[in-house]
Amino acid sequence: MTLKTTLKGAAAALAVLAGTSAVSAEEITVGYFLEWPMPFQYAKATGMYDEAMGVTINWVSFDTGTAMSAAMASGDVQLSVSQGVPPFVVATSAGQDLQILDVAVSYADNDNCVVLEALEIDKDSAKELEGKKVAVPLGTAAHYGFLKQMGHFGVDISTMEIVDMAPPDGAAALAQGSVDMACGWGGSLRRMMEHGNILLTGDEKTELGILVFDVTSGPAGWVAENSDTVSAFLSVTAKANAMWADDANKDMMLPVIAKDAGMDPDATLATISTFTFPTVEDQLSAKWLGGNAQTFMKGVADVFVDAGSIDAALDSYDANVNTGPLSAASDM
Protein backbone atom coordinates (compact mmCIF):
# COMPACT_ATOMS: atom_id res chain seq x y z
CA MET A 1 0.00 0.00 0.00
CA THR A 2 1.37 3.43 -0.91
CA LEU A 3 1.77 6.42 1.38
CA LYS A 4 -0.83 8.23 -0.72
CA THR A 5 -3.57 5.62 -0.45
CA THR A 6 -2.93 4.94 3.24
CA LEU A 7 -3.28 8.56 4.31
CA LYS A 8 -6.20 9.22 1.99
CA GLY A 9 -7.98 6.12 3.30
CA ALA A 10 -7.59 7.33 6.86
CA ALA A 11 -8.84 10.78 5.91
CA ALA A 12 -11.90 9.30 4.19
CA ALA A 13 -12.73 7.21 7.26
CA LEU A 14 -12.52 10.30 9.46
CA ALA A 15 -14.88 12.17 7.16
CA VAL A 16 -17.46 9.38 7.49
CA LEU A 17 -17.18 9.30 11.28
CA ALA A 18 -17.23 13.08 11.74
CA GLY A 19 -20.23 14.55 13.47
CA THR A 20 -20.90 11.70 15.88
CA SER A 21 -19.30 13.22 19.00
CA ALA A 22 -21.10 13.33 22.33
CA VAL A 23 -22.60 16.57 23.63
CA SER A 24 -22.83 15.95 27.39
CA ALA A 25 -20.05 17.27 29.62
CA GLU A 26 -21.04 15.35 32.76
CA GLU A 27 -18.26 12.92 31.87
CA ILE A 28 -15.57 13.54 29.27
CA THR A 29 -12.68 11.60 27.81
CA VAL A 30 -9.39 13.35 27.07
CA GLY A 31 -6.61 11.95 24.90
CA TYR A 32 -2.89 12.43 25.54
CA PHE A 33 0.49 10.81 24.83
CA LEU A 34 2.64 8.68 27.11
CA GLU A 35 6.39 9.45 27.09
CA TRP A 36 5.47 13.04 26.25
CA PRO A 37 5.88 14.87 29.58
CA MET A 38 4.06 18.16 30.02
CA PRO A 39 2.98 20.32 32.99
CA PHE A 40 -0.71 19.45 32.46
CA GLN A 41 0.13 15.96 33.73
CA TYR A 42 0.85 17.38 37.17
CA ALA A 43 -2.65 18.85 37.14
CA LYS A 44 -4.03 15.57 35.80
CA ALA A 45 -2.37 13.48 38.51
CA THR A 46 -3.17 15.78 41.42
CA GLY A 47 -6.85 16.29 40.59
CA MET A 48 -6.65 19.96 39.57
CA TYR A 49 -8.83 19.38 36.49
CA ASP A 50 -11.50 17.45 38.41
CA GLU A 51 -11.71 20.12 41.10
CA ALA A 52 -11.95 23.03 38.65
CA MET A 53 -14.31 21.41 36.15
CA GLY A 54 -16.70 19.41 38.30
CA VAL A 55 -16.93 16.58 35.77
CA THR A 56 -15.56 13.07 35.62
CA ILE A 57 -12.53 12.99 33.33
CA ASN A 58 -11.39 9.77 31.72
CA TRP A 59 -7.86 9.91 30.32
CA VAL A 60 -6.77 7.68 27.44
CA SER A 61 -3.32 7.51 25.84
CA PHE A 62 -2.60 7.36 22.11
CA ASP A 63 0.41 6.59 19.92
CA THR A 64 -0.33 9.14 17.17
CA GLY A 65 -2.36 12.26 16.48
CA THR A 66 -4.16 10.51 13.64
CA ALA A 67 -5.57 8.03 16.16
CA MET A 68 -6.74 11.00 18.23
CA SER A 69 -8.62 12.35 15.21
CA ALA A 70 -10.35 9.02 14.69
CA ALA A 71 -11.36 8.84 18.36
CA MET A 72 -12.79 12.37 18.27
CA ALA A 73 -14.63 11.58 15.03
CA SER A 74 -16.28 8.54 16.61
CA GLY A 75 -17.27 10.48 19.75
CA ASP A 76 -15.06 8.38 22.03
CA VAL A 77 -12.84 11.38 22.88
CA GLN A 78 -13.93 14.97 23.44
CA LEU A 79 -10.57 16.72 23.83
CA SER A 80 -7.05 15.82 22.74
CA VAL A 81 -4.02 17.36 24.43
CA SER A 82 -0.90 17.81 22.31
CA GLN A 83 -2.32 16.70 18.98
CA GLY A 84 0.19 17.47 16.23
CA VAL A 85 -0.79 20.11 13.68
CA PRO A 86 -0.28 17.81 10.65
CA PRO A 87 -2.77 15.13 11.79
CA PHE A 88 -5.17 17.95 12.66
CA VAL A 89 -4.74 19.33 9.14
CA VAL A 90 -5.26 15.90 7.54
CA ALA A 91 -8.52 15.42 9.43
CA THR A 92 -9.93 18.90 8.81
CA SER A 93 -8.93 18.81 5.14
CA ALA A 94 -11.00 15.63 4.84
CA GLY A 95 -14.03 17.38 6.31
CA GLN A 96 -13.77 16.57 10.03
CA ASP A 97 -15.02 19.60 11.96
CA LEU A 98 -12.25 19.96 14.55
CA GLN A 99 -11.06 23.13 16.22
CA ILE A 100 -7.73 24.18 17.72
CA LEU A 101 -8.33 25.47 21.24
CA ASP A 102 -4.82 26.28 22.45
CA VAL A 103 -1.13 25.83 21.66
CA ALA A 104 -0.10 22.93 23.86
CA VAL A 105 3.66 22.91 23.25
CA SER A 106 6.38 23.94 20.81
CA TYR A 107 9.19 21.42 20.34
CA ALA A 108 11.47 21.82 17.33
CA ASP A 109 14.17 19.71 18.98
CA ASN A 110 11.91 16.85 19.98
CA ASP A 111 10.52 15.68 16.67
CA ASN A 112 12.88 14.44 13.98
CA CYS A 113 14.06 11.69 11.66
CA VAL A 114 17.06 9.50 12.50
CA VAL A 115 19.26 7.78 9.92
CA LEU A 116 20.75 4.37 10.77
CA GLU A 117 24.29 4.89 12.02
CA ALA A 118 25.83 2.20 9.80
CA LEU A 119 24.81 4.13 6.66
CA GLU A 120 27.01 7.11 7.64
CA ILE A 121 24.60 9.52 5.91
CA ASP A 122 24.45 13.13 7.09
CA LYS A 123 23.12 16.38 5.67
CA ASP A 124 25.99 16.52 3.16
CA SER A 125 25.13 13.10 1.74
CA ALA A 126 21.36 13.02 2.24
CA LYS A 127 20.73 12.17 -1.43
CA GLU A 128 21.97 8.68 -0.58
CA LEU A 129 18.63 8.14 1.19
CA GLU A 130 17.00 7.57 -2.19
CA GLY A 131 15.95 3.95 -2.47
CA LYS A 132 16.05 3.48 1.30
CA LYS A 133 13.33 2.22 3.65
CA VAL A 134 11.92 4.66 6.20
CA ALA A 135 9.43 4.31 9.06
CA VAL A 136 7.11 7.34 9.23
CA PRO A 137 3.92 7.81 11.29
CA LEU A 138 1.77 9.10 8.44
CA GLY A 139 -0.23 12.29 8.83
CA THR A 140 1.75 13.47 11.88
CA ALA A 141 4.19 16.28 12.63
CA ALA A 142 7.00 13.80 12.00
CA HIS A 143 5.56 13.03 8.55
CA TYR A 144 5.41 16.72 7.67
CA GLY A 145 8.97 17.22 8.89
CA PHE A 146 10.12 14.22 6.86
CA LEU A 147 8.56 15.59 3.67
CA LYS A 148 10.02 19.07 4.22
CA GLN A 149 13.49 17.73 5.01
CA MET A 150 13.53 15.43 2.00
CA GLY A 151 12.35 18.32 -0.17
CA HIS A 152 15.12 20.52 1.22
CA PHE A 153 17.76 17.91 0.40
CA GLY A 154 16.28 17.13 -3.02
CA VAL A 155 15.60 13.50 -2.11
CA ASP A 156 13.07 11.86 -4.45
CA ILE A 157 10.67 10.19 -2.00
CA SER A 158 9.07 8.19 -4.83
CA THR A 159 12.22 6.05 -4.77
CA MET A 160 11.85 5.32 -1.05
CA GLU A 161 9.90 2.57 0.67
CA ILE A 162 7.79 4.47 3.20
CA VAL A 163 6.26 2.33 5.95
CA ASP A 164 3.54 3.71 8.23
CA MET A 165 4.79 3.03 11.79
CA ALA A 166 3.99 4.62 15.14
CA PRO A 167 7.18 6.03 16.71
CA PRO A 168 7.70 3.18 19.23
CA ASP A 169 7.54 0.65 16.38
CA GLY A 170 9.80 2.78 14.22
CA ALA A 171 12.37 2.98 17.00
CA ALA A 172 12.33 -0.82 17.37
CA ALA A 173 12.67 -1.29 13.61
CA LEU A 174 15.65 1.06 13.46
CA ALA A 175 17.32 -0.74 16.35
CA GLN A 176 16.89 -4.03 14.49
CA GLY A 177 18.22 -2.53 11.28
CA SER A 178 15.02 -3.39 9.41
CA VAL A 179 14.59 0.24 8.30
CA ASP A 180 17.22 2.75 7.19
CA MET A 181 15.57 5.77 8.78
CA ALA A 182 12.79 6.33 11.30
CA CYS A 183 10.87 9.45 12.31
CA GLY A 184 9.21 10.20 15.63
CA TRP A 185 9.24 12.15 18.86
CA GLY A 186 9.67 11.95 22.63
CA GLY A 187 10.96 8.73 24.17
CA SER A 188 10.87 7.00 20.81
CA LEU A 189 13.13 9.66 19.30
CA ARG A 190 15.61 9.23 22.16
CA ARG A 191 15.73 5.49 21.48
CA MET A 192 16.19 6.12 17.76
CA MET A 193 19.16 8.38 18.53
CA GLU A 194 20.91 5.43 20.18
CA HIS A 195 21.19 3.85 16.74
CA GLY A 196 21.67 6.76 14.38
CA ASN A 197 21.91 10.47 13.68
CA ILE A 198 19.66 13.35 12.67
CA LEU A 199 20.13 15.40 9.51
CA LEU A 200 19.00 18.80 10.82
CA THR A 201 18.84 20.34 14.29
CA GLY A 202 15.73 22.00 15.67
CA ASP A 203 17.12 25.47 14.90
CA GLU A 204 17.99 24.42 11.35
CA LYS A 205 14.49 23.05 10.82
CA THR A 206 12.92 26.23 12.17
CA GLU A 207 14.99 28.32 9.74
CA LEU A 208 13.52 26.23 6.92
CA GLY A 209 9.99 26.98 8.17
CA ILE A 210 9.47 23.54 9.73
CA LEU A 211 7.57 24.68 12.81
CA VAL A 212 6.82 21.91 15.26
CA PHE A 213 4.00 22.49 17.72
CA ASP A 214 1.00 20.64 19.13
CA VAL A 215 -2.45 21.86 20.06
CA THR A 216 -5.38 21.03 22.26
CA SER A 217 -8.22 20.16 19.90
CA GLY A 218 -11.85 19.11 20.02
CA PRO A 219 -14.91 18.56 17.80
CA ALA A 220 -16.50 21.93 16.95
CA GLY A 221 -20.03 20.82 17.81
CA TRP A 222 -19.05 19.51 21.24
CA VAL A 223 -16.96 22.60 21.98
CA ALA A 224 -19.90 24.87 21.12
CA GLU A 225 -22.19 22.91 23.45
CA ASN A 226 -19.64 22.87 26.28
CA SER A 227 -17.63 26.07 25.99
CA ASP A 228 -17.54 26.69 29.76
CA THR A 229 -16.16 23.19 30.35
CA VAL A 230 -13.54 23.74 27.67
CA SER A 231 -12.55 27.10 29.15
CA ALA A 232 -12.17 25.53 32.60
CA PHE A 233 -9.96 22.80 31.12
CA LEU A 234 -7.74 25.31 29.31
CA SER A 235 -7.51 27.46 32.43
CA VAL A 236 -6.13 24.55 34.46
CA THR A 237 -3.64 23.76 31.69
CA ALA A 238 -2.45 27.37 31.70
CA LYS A 239 -2.08 27.33 35.49
CA ALA A 240 0.02 24.15 35.31
CA ASN A 241 2.22 25.71 32.61
CA ALA A 242 2.71 28.81 34.75
CA MET A 243 3.64 26.63 37.73
CA TRP A 244 6.27 24.80 35.67
CA ALA A 245 7.70 28.11 34.43
CA ASP A 246 8.58 28.92 38.04
CA ASP A 247 11.79 27.04 38.89
CA ALA A 248 10.69 26.85 42.53
CA ASN A 249 8.02 24.30 41.56
CA LYS A 250 10.07 21.96 39.40
CA ASP A 251 11.39 19.67 42.13
CA MET A 252 7.80 19.14 43.29
CA MET A 253 6.29 18.69 39.84
CA LEU A 254 8.96 16.65 38.03
CA PRO A 255 8.47 13.26 39.75
CA VAL A 256 4.68 13.53 39.40
CA ILE A 257 4.93 14.35 35.69
CA ALA A 258 7.48 11.59 35.16
CA LYS A 259 5.29 8.96 36.77
CA ASP A 260 2.24 10.00 34.78
CA ALA A 261 4.25 10.01 31.53
CA GLY A 262 5.61 6.53 32.23
CA MET A 263 9.22 7.78 32.35
CA ASP A 264 12.05 8.13 34.83
CA PRO A 265 12.76 11.64 36.16
CA ASP A 266 16.06 12.08 34.27
CA ALA A 267 14.52 11.18 30.91
CA THR A 268 11.53 13.38 31.72
CA LEU A 269 13.73 16.38 32.47
CA ALA A 270 15.79 15.77 29.32
CA THR A 271 12.63 15.75 27.21
CA ILE A 272 10.61 18.54 28.82
CA SER A 273 13.64 20.85 28.82
CA THR A 274 13.41 20.94 25.02
CA PHE A 275 9.75 22.05 25.18
CA THR A 276 8.31 25.58 25.23
CA PHE A 277 4.86 26.25 26.67
CA PRO A 278 3.55 29.61 25.40
CA THR A 279 1.54 31.75 27.79
CA VAL A 280 -2.12 32.43 27.05
CA GLU A 281 -1.19 35.96 26.03
CA ASP A 282 1.38 34.64 23.56
CA GLN A 283 -1.04 32.03 22.23
CA LEU A 284 -3.65 34.68 21.48
CA SER A 285 -1.10 36.91 19.70
CA ALA A 286 -0.45 37.06 15.96
CA LYS A 287 2.59 34.81 16.45
CA TRP A 288 0.31 31.88 17.24
CA LEU A 289 -3.49 31.65 17.13
CA GLY A 290 -3.93 35.27 16.06
CA GLY A 291 -2.94 34.40 12.50
CA ASN A 292 0.35 32.57 12.11
CA ALA A 293 -1.02 29.14 13.05
CA GLN A 294 -3.74 29.41 10.41
CA THR A 295 -1.19 30.37 7.76
CA PHE A 296 1.09 27.52 8.83
CA MET A 297 -1.74 24.98 8.59
CA LYS A 298 -2.43 26.05 5.04
CA GLY A 299 1.26 25.50 4.28
CA VAL A 300 1.20 22.04 5.83
CA ALA A 301 -1.89 21.11 3.82
CA ASP A 302 -0.33 22.32 0.58
CA VAL A 303 2.79 20.20 1.24
CA PHE A 304 0.59 17.13 1.75
CA VAL A 305 -1.33 17.89 -1.45
CA ASP A 306 1.92 18.28 -3.41
CA ALA A 307 3.13 14.95 -2.00
CA GLY A 308 -0.12 13.28 -3.06
CA SER A 309 -0.95 12.40 0.54
CA ILE A 310 -4.31 14.19 0.61
CA ASP A 311 -6.64 15.17 -2.23
CA ALA A 312 -7.02 18.85 -1.46
CA ALA A 313 -6.43 21.58 1.08
CA LEU A 314 -9.07 23.91 2.46
CA ASP A 315 -9.03 27.46 1.13
CA SER A 316 -8.48 28.65 4.69
CA TYR A 317 -8.12 27.09 8.14
CA ASP A 318 -9.35 30.17 9.99
CA ALA A 319 -12.61 28.46 10.97
CA ASN A 320 -10.65 25.62 12.54
CA VAL A 321 -9.19 27.88 15.23
CA ASN A 322 -11.49 28.87 18.10
CA THR A 323 -9.88 31.29 20.56
CA GLY A 324 -13.13 31.99 22.45
CA PRO A 325 -12.67 29.38 25.22
CA LEU A 326 -8.99 30.32 25.68
CA SER A 327 -9.84 34.02 25.94
CA ALA A 328 -12.44 33.17 28.57
CA ALA A 329 -9.93 30.95 30.38
CA SER A 330 -7.58 33.90 30.83
CA ASP A 331 -10.17 35.52 33.13
CA MET A 332 -10.69 32.41 35.30
Side-chain angles (χ1 to χ4, degrees):
M1 184 176 291
T2 66
L3 177 156
K4 181 175 180 179
T5 57
T6 301
L7 196 50
K8 285 185 176 179
L14 291 174
V16 170
L17 286 169
T20 61
S21 53
V23 294
S24 172
E26 294 179 2
E27 180 174 329
I28 69 172
T29 300
V30 180
Y32 72 106
F33 292 118
L34 290 173
E35 295 193 283
W36 195 241
M38 296 171 62
F40 87 86
Q41 289 173 284
Y42 179 82
K44 168 181 177 290
T46 58
M48 289 172 61
Y49 285 104
D50 307 80
E51 182 178 350
M53 297 173 65
V55 301
T56 299
I57 304 176
N58 303 308
W59 298 85
V60 58
S61 63
F62 289 89
D63 285 332
T64 67
T66 49
M68 286 177 167
S69 293
M72 288 188 287
S74 68
D76 292 334
V77 167
Q78 284 70 57
L79 295 172
S80 290
V81 179
S82 213
Q83 182 180 35
V85 170
F88 179 90
V89 167
V90 169
T92 52
S93 298
Q96 189 174 351
D97 197 8
L98 293 178
Q99 291 181 333
I100 288 175
L101 304 167
D102 78 1
V103 176
V105 59
S106 176
Y107 55 100
D109 279 312
N110 217 310
D111 184 296
N112 218 325
C113 296
V114 177
V115 183
L116 191 65
E117 185 177 26
L119 296 177
E120 297 184 346
I121 295 175
D122 60 18
K123 62 183 178 182
D124 296 321
S125 56
K127 284 282 285 183
E128 294 177 22
L129 286 169
E130 292 185 350
K132 298 294 191 290
K133 185 176 182 179
V134 53
V136 184
L138 300 185
T140 66
H143 179 201
Y144 173 73
F146 162 73
L147 292 174
K148 290 287 283 187
Q149 288 194 57
M150 295 303 98
H152 170 68
F153 289 118
V155 175
D156 182 358
I157 63 171
S158 69
T159 68
M160 306 176 80
E161 182 182 353
I162 300 172
V163 184
D164 185 11
M165 285 191 183
D169 298 326
L174 192 72
Q176 295 161 5
S178 56
V179 297
D180 301 303
M181 181 166 70
C183 305
W185 55 79
S188 297
L189 178 60
R190 287 199 314 278
R191 290 191 291 277
M192 291 173 191
M193 291 291 291
E194 296 173 4
H195 304 282
N197 58 277
I198 60 174
L199 300 175
L200 295 173
T201 66
D203 287 342
E204 289 172 330
K205 289 191 301 173
T206 300
E207 284 186 20
L208 293 176
I210 307 175
L211 301 180
V212 187
F213 66 100
D214 287 359
V215 301
T216 298
S217 59
W222 185 87
V223 171
E225 292 282 345
N226 300 280
S227 59
D228 290 346
T229 298
V230 175
S231 293
F233 184 89
L234 299 179
S235 176
V236 174
T237 300
K239 286 180 173 66
N241 287 344
M243 288 175 64
W244 178 256
D246 184 346
D247 287 340
N249 294 322
K250 290 186 176 177
D251 286 345
M252 170 186 70
M253 296 177 73
L254 183 63
V256 178
I257 294 171
K259 182 179 180 180
D260 194 75
M263 303 168 69
D264 66 69
D266 289 342
T268 298
L269 184 60
T271 299
I272 201 171
S273 295
T274 66
F275 290 170
T276 300
F277 305 99
T279 64
V280 171
E281 183 180 8
D282 279 348
Q283 292 176 54
L284 293 172
S285 73
K287 182 170 67 174
W288 290 106
L289 302 183
N292 195 40
Q294 294 88 326
T295 301
F296 177 71
M297 283 192 285
K298 175 62 174 170
V300 170
D302 289 342
V303 166
F304 280 155
V305 171
D306 290 343
S309 300
I310 61 176
D311 287 324
L314 300 180
D315 292 335
S316 168
Y317 290 83
D318 290 355
N320 299 106
V321 175
N322 181 359
T323 58
L326 184 62
S327 296
S330 65
D331 297 326
M332 290 183 171

mmCIF file of all heavy atoms in Angstrom, residues 50 91 125 135 150 186 233 294 304 306 308:
data_model
loop_
_atom_site.group_PDB
_atom_site.id
_atom_site.type_symbol
_atom_site.label_atom_id
_atom_site.label_comp_id
_atom_site.label_asym_id
_atom_site.label_seq_id
_atom_site.Cartn_x
_atom_site.Cartn_y
_atom_site.Cartn_z
ATOM 1 N N ASP A 50 -10.238 17.917 37.829
ATOM 2 C CA ASP A 50 -11.498 17.454 38.408
ATOM 3 C C ASP A 50 -12.097 18.516 39.324
ATOM 4 O O ASP A 50 -13.304 18.788 39.290
ATOM 5 C CB ASP A 50 -11.274 16.161 39.189
ATOM 6 C CG ASP A 50 -10.581 15.097 38.351
ATOM 7 O OD1 ASP A 50 -9.344 15.171 38.208
ATOM 8 O OD2 ASP A 50 -11.266 14.215 37.828
ATOM 9 N N ALA A 91 -7.124 15.684 9.071
ATOM 10 C CA ALA A 91 -8.520 15.422 9.426
ATOM 11 C C ALA A 91 -9.436 16.534 8.944
ATOM 12 O O ALA A 91 -10.503 16.273 8.364
ATOM 13 C CB ALA A 91 -8.641 15.251 10.940
ATOM 14 N N SER A 125 25.277 14.268 2.619
ATOM 15 C CA SER A 125 25.132 13.098 1.737
ATOM 16 C C SER A 125 23.705 12.563 1.748
ATOM 17 O O SER A 125 23.459 11.399 1.451
ATOM 18 C CB SER A 125 26.104 11.990 2.169
ATOM 19 O OG SER A 125 25.907 11.633 3.532
ATOM 20 N N ALA A 135 10.632 4.447 8.230
ATOM 21 C CA ALA A 135 9.433 4.312 9.059
ATOM 22 C C ALA A 135 8.928 5.700 9.417
ATOM 23 O O ALA A 135 9.640 6.486 10.055
ATOM 24 C CB ALA A 135 9.751 3.521 10.325
ATOM 25 N N MET A 150 13.167 16.085 3.252
ATOM 26 C CA MET A 150 13.534 15.428 2.000
ATOM 27 C C MET A 150 13.454 16.411 0.829
ATOM 28 O O MET A 150 14.292 16.389 -0.076
ATOM 29 C CB MET A 150 12.636 14.222 1.747
ATOM 30 C CG MET A 150 12.790 13.082 2.770
ATOM 31 S SD MET A 150 14.474 12.427 2.945
ATOM 32 C CE MET A 150 15.041 13.337 4.417
ATOM 33 N N GLY A 186 9.662 12.364 21.229
ATOM 34 C CA GLY A 186 9.670 11.947 22.626
ATOM 35 C C GLY A 186 10.615 10.799 22.939
ATOM 36 O O GLY A 186 11.743 10.730 22.440
ATOM 37 N N PHE A 233 -11.063 23.718 31.420
ATOM 38 C CA PHE A 233 -9.963 22.801 31.124
ATOM 39 C C PHE A 233 -8.717 23.577 30.708
ATOM 40 O O PHE A 233 -7.606 23.340 31.221
ATOM 41 C CB PHE A 233 -10.371 21.838 30.014
ATOM 42 C CG PHE A 233 -9.337 20.788 29.702
ATOM 43 C CD1 PHE A 233 -9.331 19.576 30.376
ATOM 44 C CD2 PHE A 233 -8.360 21.016 28.742
ATOM 45 C CE1 PHE A 233 -8.367 18.611 30.106
ATOM 46 C CE2 PHE A 233 -7.389 20.067 28.464
ATOM 47 C CZ PHE A 233 -7.392 18.856 29.145
ATOM 48 N N GLN A 294 -2.849 29.666 11.547
ATOM 49 C CA GLN A 294 -3.736 29.409 10.415
ATOM 50 C C GLN A 294 -2.953 29.380 9.101
ATOM 51 O O GLN A 294 -3.188 28.522 8.241
ATOM 52 C CB GLN A 294 -4.828 30.491 10.360
ATOM 53 C CG GLN A 294 -5.802 30.461 11.531
ATOM 54 C CD GLN A 294 -5.352 31.276 12.735
ATOM 55 O OE1 GLN A 294 -4.170 31.381 13.031
ATOM 56 N NE2 GLN A 294 -6.319 31.860 13.440
ATOM 57 N N PHE A 304 1.203 18.453 1.855
ATOM 58 C CA PHE A 304 0.594 17.125 1.753
ATOM 59 C C PHE A 304 -0.086 16.926 0.397
ATOM 60 O O PHE A 304 -0.057 15.836 -0.170
ATOM 61 C CB PHE A 304 -0.416 16.908 2.883
ATOM 62 C CG PHE A 304 0.203 16.537 4.210
ATOM 63 C CD1 PHE A 304 -0.458 16.798 5.400
ATOM 64 C CD2 PHE A 304 1.439 15.918 4.265
ATOM 65 C CE1 PHE A 304 0.102 16.443 6.622
ATOM 66 C CE2 PHE A 304 2.016 15.564 5.484
ATOM 67 C CZ PHE A 304 1.349 15.826 6.655
ATOM 68 N N ASP A 306 0.830 18.419 -2.436
ATOM 69 C CA ASP A 306 1.918 18.275 -3.407
ATOM 70 C C ASP A 306 2.533 16.880 -3.359
ATOM 71 O O ASP A 306 2.981 16.344 -4.387
ATOM 72 C CB ASP A 306 3.008 19.327 -3.157
ATOM 73 C CG ASP A 306 2.553 20.732 -3.511
ATOM 74 O OD1 ASP A 306 1.548 20.863 -4.233
ATOM 75 O OD2 ASP A 306 3.192 21.704 -3.046
ATOM 76 N N GLY A 308 0.902 14.249 -2.705
ATOM 77 C CA GLY A 308 -0.122 13.276 -3.060
ATOM 78 C C GLY A 308 -0.707 12.547 -1.877
ATOM 79 O O GLY A 308 -1.375 11.525 -2.030
#
